[in-house]
Amino acid sequence: MLSYSSYFKCTVLLLALAGMGLPAVAGPGHDHGDEASAATGGAALPRFTAVSELFELVGVLKGRELTLYLDRSDTNAPVKDAKLEIEFAGTPLKVEQRSPGEFSVTLAAAPKPGVIPITATVIAGQETDLLAGNFDLHDNHADAKSAAPHGWKRYAPWMAGGGVMVALAALGVAWRRRRMPRALPSLVCAAVCLAFASAAMTGPAYAGPERDHGGAQPAVAGGSGPKRLPDGSVFLPKPAQRQIGVRTTPAGAAGELPRTFELAGKVVMDPNAGGRVQPTQAGRIEPGPRGLPSVGQAVKKGEVLAYVAPSVGSVERSNQAAQLAELRSAKGLAEKRVVRLRELADTVPRKDIETAEAEAASLAERISAIGGGLAAREALMAPVAGVIASAHAVSGQVVDARELVFEIVDPARLRIEAMAYDAEIAAGIASAAVALGAERLPLRFIGAARILREQALPMLFQVEGAALNKLAVGQPVRVYVQTARKITGISVAAAALMKNPANQAVVWVKTAPERFEPRVVTTESLDGVSVAVTSGLKAGDRVVTEAGALINQIR
């Protein structure tokens, strides 16, 4: 049996439980519906898709304006010079072309909610196709809002609870006056407490008019802006695809592909078509007959490029001058002796005259050699015909013996040296190529060394093709060597490979006209332009080959 004070405490407890169970209403600026819509590019616009083996059509409705995007199914490229005929709910509509692959239709009135069938006929050159789809215009947002109670109905349960509390107070007064059984108030109080406790735990929470969470969910799931979906895929509307230039390529069937190794290499000159110009003695550079050659100038074999005037010290020069003066004096005496002996030819033996003549001639040659050595210049000549690749000389420059002055190469005959750390690679080379950006130049394997250099085996290749002017001696390059061994995989462009946040190799696959999914793959190099995907793809997957990096950045 309850006392009057206990009965009062029970009533206070009921009021507290009633306050806990009141609906939670989020005022303006405190709900999550608008934030979710803003994060996803606003409310979703109604759209439909229709796909065939040739084309894919996406329609977006905004008010009475229907925008249509027509692309190729395999490459995702806009269809140029195409004609489009549309039937909206069985009624033909007039279609206007805005740009290649983009059309617009103006409806007479905004369509009513429901599922509307759409049929499109595409004529592009010799190709004709029929596309069909359904336009779902159900207003899920309005349905979600109508499911929540409005007005006085939202507070009707609590009005009833207040009436119960008033009745309970009346029972307390009657009990106080001893007009009711003693056990009845205790039973009534316990029943009402249990009812209010249940209502407090299960009471609804409302976000206020136009701010409930039920109406915000459709905008989060289907906003009209690019966004990353919860499953990791990306929703990318057609306008955004056109802006960043998304292109796809269908993956072929898995097959046997040659195993490829990527080697580090550099461009070197052909020893038979290139050379270096070096002086054999120290001296001063002097211009040749055509002046000093410049880089890029064509020269012929044997052409004089420059002169080197020997540099002689003052002491050495004075010694040579003294020796020259002594030889000239001896030569004069020898010539006078020859003249006297010739006058006495009848009494002097012939051998004495010949000896004197030989001595005079020897002195003359020694004088010429020493005198020419003081003023002679060394001619620097081109050893081969080609182009000046490097020049390290200016007029008046002093150079040492064996110093590199000019370097000549033949641009049409260059070689590439690659380093292989596996000797088996050189044993089974099927083909080779060097990568220059997105371009490949074929290589012809010449041979491999039999002595390791820095724990690697040098291999030499001859460059073939007409793009040799893109190479320079000493330029580092990547050489892709294909061996006779095979691997099973799907050939995919190397530009399609991306990295996910876990640093795994992924490719983006187009699964719907406006949906792209990342696929984790394992790859092996093929030729620098393409890779072999050994797992993660299947034949027919439309792999993104252009703008994949931009899709990978969408969050």
Side-chain angles (χ1 to χ4, degrees), residues 281 284 286 307-312 317 320-321 324 328 367-379:
Q281 61 181 352
R284 190 180 302 276
E286 294 181 359
Y307 294 102
V308 176
S311 58
V312 182
R317 183 178 293 275
Q320 289 181 349
L324 182 61
R328 287 175 178 172
I367 291 173
S368 176
I370 294 177
L374 292 176
R377 299 182 301 176
E378 180 184 1

Side-chain angles (χ1 to χ4, degrees), residues 471-494:
L471 297 176
V473 176
Q475 175 183 350
V477 293
R478 292 176 298 164
V479 178
Y480 295 89
V481 176
Q482 293 183 352
T483 62
R485 291 180 292 174
K486 303 290 184 177
I487 57 175
T488 302
I490 300 175
S491 179
V492 175

Side-chain angles (χ1 to χ4, degrees), residues 475-530:
Q475 175 183 350
V477 293
R478 292 176 298 164
V479 178
Y480 295 89
V481 176
Q482 293 183 352
T483 62
R485 291 180 292 174
K486 303 290 184 177
I487 57 175
T488 302
I490 300 175
S491 179
V492 175
L497 288 182
M498 302 294 157
K499 292 290 186 179
N500 63 4
N503 202 32
Q504 295 174 308
V506 298
V507 296
W508 286 93
V509 176
K510 184 178 179 181
T511 57
E514 296 181 315
R515 187 184 180 96
F516 299 84
E517 292 183 0
R519 300 281 178 84
V520 179
V521 296
T522 57
T523 63
E524 291 192 22
S525 296
L526 282 183
D527 52 9
V529 179
S530 57

Side-chain angles (χ1 to χ4, degrees), residues 105 118 122 173 230 289 299 323 341 466 489:
V105 175
I118 293 183
V122 180
V173 174
V299 296
Q323 186 179 3
L341 291 176

Side-chain angles (χ1 to χ4, degrees), residues 23 25 145-159 204 206 208-209:
V25 179
K145 291 190 297 182
S146 62
H150 295 276
W152 64 271
K153 296 180 180 180
R154 180 178 299 177
Y155 304 98
W158 307 104
M159 296 172 61
Y206 303 110

Side-chain angles (χ1 to χ4, degrees), residues 10-336:
C10 182
T11 304
V12 174
L13 177 61
L14 291 176
L15 292 174
L17 291 174
M20 293 171 56
L22 286 175
V25 179
H30 294 82
D31 63 293
H32 302 285
D34 291 344
E35 295 175 2
S37 299
T40 57
L45 294 176
R47 59 208 320 119
F48 82 95
T49 60
V51 181
S52 68
E53 294 183 356
L54 297 178
F55 308 105
E56 62 181 21
L57 183 66
V58 176
V60 180
L61 181 63
K62 186 176 182 181
R64 295 191 303 112
E65 185 177 2
L66 177 62
T67 305
L68 302 168
Y69 302 94
L70 182 63
D71 294 336
R72 295 279 180 181
S73 293
D74 52 354
T75 63
N76 199 61
V79 181
K80 299 180 180 180
D81 300 329
K83 296 182 180 179
L84 190 62
E85 299 177 358
I86 294 293
E87 290 188 4
F88 192 84
T91 303
L93 300 178
K94 182 180 180 181
V95 180
E96 296 181 359
Q97 184 173 3
R98 295 179 178 176
S99 60
E102 183 176 350
F103 306 85
S104 65
V105 175
T106 302
L107 304 179
K112 298 180 180 179
V115 178
I116 302 176
I118 293 183
T119 303
T121 302
V122 180
I123 303 175
Q126 302 297 327
E127 298 174 324
T128 304
D129 203 353
L130 181 64
L131 304 177
N134 292 324
F135 219 146
D136 191 354
L137 298 178
H138 284 109
D139 190 359
N140 296 328
H141 184 74
D143 295 343
K145 291 190 297 182
S146 62
H150 295 276
W152 64 271
K153 296 180 180 180
R154 180 178 299 177
Y155 304 98
W158 307 104
M159 296 172 61
V164 172
M165 293 180 62
V166 173
L168 184 60
L171 290 174
V173 174
W175 171 76
R176 183 69 176 174
R177 297 178 180 178
R178 302 294 190 272
R179 294 181 182 179
M180 295 185 64
R182 294 177 177 272
L184 183 59
S186 299
L187 295 176
V188 173
C189 183
V192 174
C193 286
L194 180 61
F196 270 89
S198 301
M201 291 186 292
T202 60
Y206 303 110
E210 303 299 333
R211 297 181 180 273
D212 55 311
H213 298 286
Q217 290 177 356
V220 173
S224 297
K227 59 180 174 294
R228 184 71 66 102
L229 301 179
D231 61 353
S233 61
V234 168
F235 172 75
L236 189 62
K238 278 296 180 180
Q241 295 183 33
R242 301 285 181 85
Q243 186 177 10
I244 64 178
V246 178
R247 295 294 181 268
T248 61
T249 300
E256 296 292 329
L257 303 173
R259 182 179 292 272
T260 304
F261 297 91
E262 181 179 348
L263 307 178
K266 65 177 180 179
V267 181
V268 296
M269 70 171 64
D270 187 342
N272 298 315
R276 296 176 178 176
V277 179
Q278 299 170 283
T280 59
Q281 61 181 352
R284 190 180 302 276
I285 295 292
E286 294 181 359
R290 297 171 52 189
L292 293 176
S294 58
V295 175
Q297 178 178 335
V299 296
K300 298 179 180 179
K301 182 178 180 179
E303 180 180 347
V304 177
L305 306 180
Y307 294 102
V308 176
S311 58
V312 182
S314 58
V315 176
E316 184 179 358
R317 183 178 293 275
S318 62
N319 291 336
Q320 289 181 349
Q323 186 179 3
L324 182 61
E326 183 180 353
L327 291 174
R328 287 175 178 172
S329 176
K331 178 186 176 185
L333 293 176
E335 289 176 349
K336 292 179 179 180

